[in-house]
Amino acid sequence: MSWLLGTLLFISGFVFSRLLYFFASISVSYRLMKAANLSALYVFVKSFERLVYYNTLSLRDYMKHDPSERNAEVYKNKLEEELELFKKRCINTLVQSTPTLFRSTAPFEDWTGAMIYLNENRDFVLQFMRKKTND
């Protein structure tokens, strides 16, 4: 009888340790996916800032060579369409590449929602990007 009890205790202890390991792995995976999504959003925002800057320079240069108001407006509209396409593609790529199991790490569907999420986690992103040691 004690042999059976000892075997059952060993098996239940083994199963319990595997469950703890499983839940710890899920926790680490969740944090890793959240960090990856926030890092990707940070890179998207920095890229977007660069695009806006270069589009502004391009528009200013265009205005010097062709001062026509109508042409400048058409050129500006094309640049804005390009920026909207960039934002849409970035968010769609990020959302589609996030596995359904970790969908809660990316609770947004559009650029505005993504920027709200990024702003809510601003401290994490800034701390993550400023860290200079390789852990």
Side-chain angles (χ1 to χ4, degrees), residues 40-58 82-83 86-87 90 111 115 118 122 125-126:
L41 285 175
Y42 180 78
V43 169
F44 291 158
V45 167
K46 288 300 181 184
S47 299
F48 182 74
E49 288 174 356
R50 293 286 179 153
L51 280 173
V52 169
Y53 175 74
Y54 291 128
N55 283 352
T56 303
L57 288 178
S58 174
E82 184 180 316
L83 289 174
F86 172 81
K87 293 190 296 189
C90 286
W111 184 264
M115 294 304 102
L118 185 62
R122 177 181 50 223
V125 173
L126 293 176

Side-chain angles (χ1 to χ4, degrees), residues 58-114:
S58 174
L59 184 61
R60 193 176 303 157
D61 187 51
Y62 185 80
M63 290 295 287
K64 287 180 184 175
H65 292 90
D66 187 10
S68 167
E69 193 69 30
R70 183 187 177 299
N71 289 346
E73 192 62 35
V74 169
Y75 189 72
K76 183 178 179 181
N77 288 339
K78 291 294 182 188
L79 291 176
E80 288 176 6
E81 286 175 14
E82 184 180 316
L83 289 174
E84 289 301 316
L85 183 62
F86 172 81
K87 293 190 296 189
K88 185 177 179 182
R89 283 184 179 169
C90 286
I91 299 304
N92 285 342
T93 301
L94 186 60
V95 168
Q96 290 174 359
S97 65
T98 303
T100 55
L101 179 63
F102 298 106
R103 188 65 186 100
S104 63
T105 63
F108 47 83
E109 294 293 328
D110 59 354
W111 184 264
T112 305

Side-chain angles (χ1 to χ4, degrees), residues 28-43:
V28 168
S29 299
Y30 179 82
R31 286 183 284 161
L32 185 62
M33 284 299 298
K34 184 175 179 178
N37 285 337
L38 288 169
S39 298
L41 285 175
Y42 180 78
V43 169

Side-chain angles (χ1 to χ4, degrees), residues 2-20:
S2 64
W3 179 82
L4 181 62
L5 185 62
T7 304
L8 290 175
L9 283 174
F10 175 77
I11 291 172
S12 64
F14 179 76
V15 169
F16 185 70
S17 70
R18 291 287 116 193
L19 282 174
L20 286 177

